[in-house]
C-alpha cells in the first residue's frame, strides 16, 4: 500500500502547490486577479475528463496501468508551468495538463487504496475512504507549504517552486510499480457502457451525493485561493508565506477532523452530511466577516473551519460512493463523484468575477445561504432514503462512461 499512497500523495502535492503561487503571479508577473483565478479553475477543466476516463480505464486495465502514466504526465505539467515567465499561456497549458493527470490519478488511486485496505487488513468499510482522504489531504498540505517557502526565498521562484514536485513524483514511480495490483484486468470490459446500480442507490447518488460533492472543493478552494487575496495589501512581503502556511493548516485541519467524522457517521441517519455542510456554512460566514474587516487572523480562522468542512464532505462522499458501488464499477463511480466535487474549484473564479459588482462579504454570505439550502435538501433526502448495504449492479445509473 505504501507505493500507492506515496504516488497519490505526490500527485496531490502537485495539485495544490499552485494555491500560494497565485499571489506570486500577481506580484511578480503582474497577472490580473481574474486571470490568475481562471488558471486555478482551469485545473478542473482538465481534471473532470481525466477522472471520467481514468476511472473506467482502471476498471478495465488495472489501477497501476493508469496511475504510473498519470504520475509521469503530472511531472511534465509542472515543467510546463515553469515556462510561465516566457508567456502566461504556459500557465493555462500547464494547469490543463496537470488537471488531466490528477483526474486519472485520483480516480484510480482512490479505488486502489480502498481495495488494498480491504484485502490487506479486513478493516471496516469506512477505513478505505478515510485513508484516501488522509492521503489526498496530506499531499494538499505539504505541496503548497513547500511551494510557498520557495516562492518566498528562492532566486527564481517561478521555476524553482515546481522542482520538488517533479523530483518527488518521478521518485514515486518505482514504489507504485512494486505495489500489488488489486484489480484484475478485463480487456473485454466496455469503457463506455452505462454504469449500473440498483435503483435506490442511483436515486441516493443523484439526490444526496451529487449535491454534496461540489462543496468538497468549493470549501477548500475558497479558503486557499480566494480568502488570502482579501488581505494581500495588509501583509506586504509576508503575503506568500501567509498564504502557504494558511494552505497547509487548512489541509491539516481536513485530516484532524477525521475522528469527528468517524464518530458522527451513522449507518441510517444523515448526521455526517449535516455536520459536514454545517461546518462549511460556518466557514463561509467567518469568511464574510473577514472580508468585511480585512483582518488576516479572521481569514486564517475561516480557512481552518473551511478545511474541516472540506475534510468532512470528502470522507462523507467517499463513504457513500464506496457503499453504493460494486467492485466492477468502483473506479467509475469514484470518478463521477470526484468530477462533481472538482466543480467546486471554479468557486474562486466566480467570486473574483462577481466581486466587481457585489462586495466580497456579501458574496460569501450568499455562498453560505447556498450551502444551507444544500444542507436542508441533502439531509431531507438522506433521511427519506435509508442506505442499502447492497452493491449489486442491477438497474441503470443514468450517466455514460
Amino acid at each position: 500500500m505504501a507505493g500507492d499512497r506515496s504516488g497519490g500523495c505526490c500527485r496531490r502535492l502537485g495539485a495544490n502547490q499552485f494555491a500560494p503561487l497565485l499571489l506570486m503571479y500577481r506580484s511578480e508577473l503582474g497577472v490580473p486577479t481574474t486571470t490568475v483565478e481562471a488558471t486555478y479553475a482551469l485545473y478542473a477543466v482538465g481534471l473532470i475528463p481525466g477522472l471520467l476516463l481514468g476511472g473506467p480505464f482502471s476498471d478495465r486495465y488495472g489501477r497501476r496501468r493508469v496511475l504510473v502514466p498519470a504520475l509521469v504526465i503530472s511531472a511534465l505539467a509542472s515543467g510546463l508551468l515553469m515556462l510561465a515567465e516566457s508567456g502566461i499561456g504556459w500557465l493555462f497549458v500547464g494547469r490543463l495538463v496537470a488537471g488531466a493527470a490528477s483526474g486519472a490519478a485520483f480516480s484510480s488511486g482512490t479505488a486502489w487504496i480502498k481495495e488494498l485496505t480491504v484485502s490487506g487488513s479486513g478493516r471496516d468499510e469506512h477505513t478505505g475512504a478515510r485513508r484516501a482522504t488522509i492521503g489526498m489531504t496530506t499531499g494538499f498540505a505539504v505541496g503548497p507549504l513547500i511551494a510557498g517557502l520557495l516562492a518566498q526565498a528562492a532566486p527564481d521562484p517561478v521555476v524553482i517552486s515546481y522542482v520538488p514536485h517533479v523530483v518527488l513524483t518521478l521518485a514515486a514511480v518505482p514504489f507504485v510499480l512494486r505495489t500489488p495490483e488489486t484489480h484484475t484486468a478485463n480487456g473485454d470490459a466496455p469503457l463506455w457502457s452505462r454504469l449500473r446500480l440498483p435503483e435506490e442507490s442511483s436515486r441516493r447518488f443523484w439526490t444526496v451525493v451529487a449535491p454534496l460533492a461540489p462543496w468538497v472543493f468549493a470549501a477548500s478552494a475558497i479558503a486557499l485561493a480566494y480568502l488570502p487575496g482579501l488581505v494581500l495589501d495588509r501583509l506586504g512581503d509576508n503575503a506568500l508565506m501567509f498564504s502557504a502556511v494558511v494552505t497547509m493548516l487548512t489541509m491539516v485541519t481536513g485530516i484532524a477532523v477525521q475522528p469527528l467524522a468517524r464518530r458522527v457517521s451513522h449507518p441510517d441517519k444523515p448526521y455526517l452530511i449535516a455536520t459536514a455542510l454545517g461546518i462549511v456554512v460556518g466557514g463561509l460566514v467567518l469568511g464574510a466577516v473577514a472580508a468585511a474587516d480585512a483582518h488576516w487572523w479572521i481569514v486564517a480562522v475561516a480557512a481552518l473551519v473551511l478545511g474541516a468542512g472540506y475534510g468532512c464532505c470528502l470522507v462523507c462522499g467517499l463513504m457513500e460512493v464506496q457503499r453504493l458501488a460494486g467492485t466492477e464499477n468502483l473506479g467509475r463511480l469514484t470518478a463521477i463523484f470526484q468530477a462533481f466535487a472538482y466543480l467546486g474549484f471554479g468557486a474562486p473564479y466566480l467570486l473574483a468575477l462577481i466581486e466587481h459588482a457585489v462586495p466580497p462579504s456579501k458574496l460569501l454570505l450568499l455562498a453560505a445561504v447556498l450551502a444551507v439550502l444544500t444542507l436542508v435538501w441533502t439531509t431531507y433526502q438522506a433521511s427519506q432514503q435509508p442506505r442499502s448495504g447492497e452493491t449489486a449492479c442491477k438497474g441503470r445509473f443514468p450517466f455514460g462512461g
Side-chain angles (χ1 to χ4, degrees):
M1 180 183 295
D4 179 57
R5 292 178 74 176
S6 65
C9 192
C10 285
R11 177 54 243 140
R12 286 144 190 160
L13 182 149
N16 227 30
Q17 66 178 339
F18 196 74
L21 303 183
L22 297 174
L23 302 182
M24 179 190 71
Y25 289 120
R26 289 169 59 178
S27 59
E28 295 286 334
L29 303 182
V31 182
T33 301
T34 52
T35 301
V36 170
E37 300 290 3
T39 61
Y40 189 80
L42 189 64
Y43 176 83
V45 176
L47 185 138
I48 290 175
L51 283 170
L52 297 178
L53 290 174
F57 267 78
S58 73
D59 282 341
R60 179 171 181 175
Y61 298 111
R63 312 308 184 196
R64 183 187 295 111
R65 290 186 180 181
V66 174
L67 187 56
V68 170
L71 288 172
V72 175
I73 296 171
S74 174
L76 172 63
S78 284
L80 295 174
L81 290 168
M82 292 179 183
L83 302 175
E85 285 181 313
S86 61
I88 298 302
W90 289 110
L91 278 180
F92 289 88
V93 175
R95 287 294 285 172
L96 192 64
V97 174
S102 293
F106 290 166
S107 55
S108 59
T110 300
W112 202 358
I113 289 174
K114 189 260 187 181
E115 291 163 350
L116 284 167
T117 299
V118 172
S119 64
S121 67
R123 298 193 180 188
D124 68 85
E125 61 179 322
H126 304 328
T127 303
R130 291 194 297 268
R131 284 181 171 175
T133 302
I134 290 171
M136 178 180 291
T137 307
T138 300
F140 280 163
V142 175
L145 179 63
I146 295 174
L149 292 174
L150 291 175
Q152 185 82 38
D156 189 3
V158 176
V159 174
I160 301 299
S161 298
Y162 294 102
V163 171
H165 173 248
V166 174
V167 173
L168 290 174
T169 300
L170 295 179
V173 171
F175 293 97
V176 175
L177 289 172
R178 292 199 296 268
T179 300
E181 177 61 77
T182 57
H183 190 80
T184 303
N186 180 7
D188 296 327
L191 293 175
W192 303 105
S193 64
R194 285 185 178 273
L195 188 61
R196 298 177 183 274
L197 289 174
E199 182 180 351
E200 63 274 13
S201 296
S202 175
R203 184 170 62 253
R204 185 176 180 91
F205 183 89
W206 286 110
T207 59
V208 177
V209 182
L212 167 77
W215 290 106
V216 172
F217 289 111
S220 65
I222 290 171
L224 308 183
Y226 186 74
L227 292 183
L230 298 177
V231 293
L232 176 62
D233 296 338
R234 294 197 174 194
L235 296 173
D237 294 337
N238 297 317
L240 279 173
M241 184 64 66
F242 174 78
S243 180
V245 172
V246 165
T247 300
M248 181 197 70
L249 293 178
T250 300
M251 295 294 98
V252 168
T253 306
I255 296 175
V257 79
Q258 298 306 304
L260 171 65
R262 184 168 58 251
R263 287 196 297 269
V264 169
S265 179
H266 188 282
D268 299 314
K269 304 291 183 181
Y271 295 152
L272 181 54
I273 297 172
T275 300
L277 288 170
I279 294 173
V280 172
V281 171
L284 291 171
V285 171
L286 281 172
V289 174
D293 294 340
H295 290 312
W296 65 267
W297 65 271
I298 304 180
V299 166
V301 173
L304 292 177
V305 176
L306 286 170
Y310 148 80
C312 279
C313 285
L314 180 58
V315 77
C316 178
L318 288 175
M319 285 164 58
E320 289 279 348
V321 165
Q322 291 176 4
R323 190 178 292 106
L324 296 175
T327 56
E328 70 291 334
N329 58 20
L330 176 61
R332 277 187 287 174
L333 191 58
T334 300
I336 294 170
F337 163 71
Q338 291 182 323
F340 278 105
Y342 276 99
L343 291 175
F345 257 68
Y349 175 66
L350 292 176
L351 292 174
L353 203 62
I354 302 172
E355 71 177 19
H356 297 293
V358 180
S361 58
K362 293 183 178 179
L363 280 177
L364 290 167
L365 283 177
L366 178 60
V369 171
L370 293 176
V372 169
L373 293 176
T374 307
L375 187 158
V376 173
W377 170 263
T378 53
T379 53
Y380 172 75
Q381 291 295 328
S383 65
Q384 299 299 306
Q385 304 171 36
R387 288 183 295 208
S388 171
E390 298 179 3
T391 55
C393 293
K394 298 178 182 179
R396 288 181 175 268
F397 186 79
F399 197 105

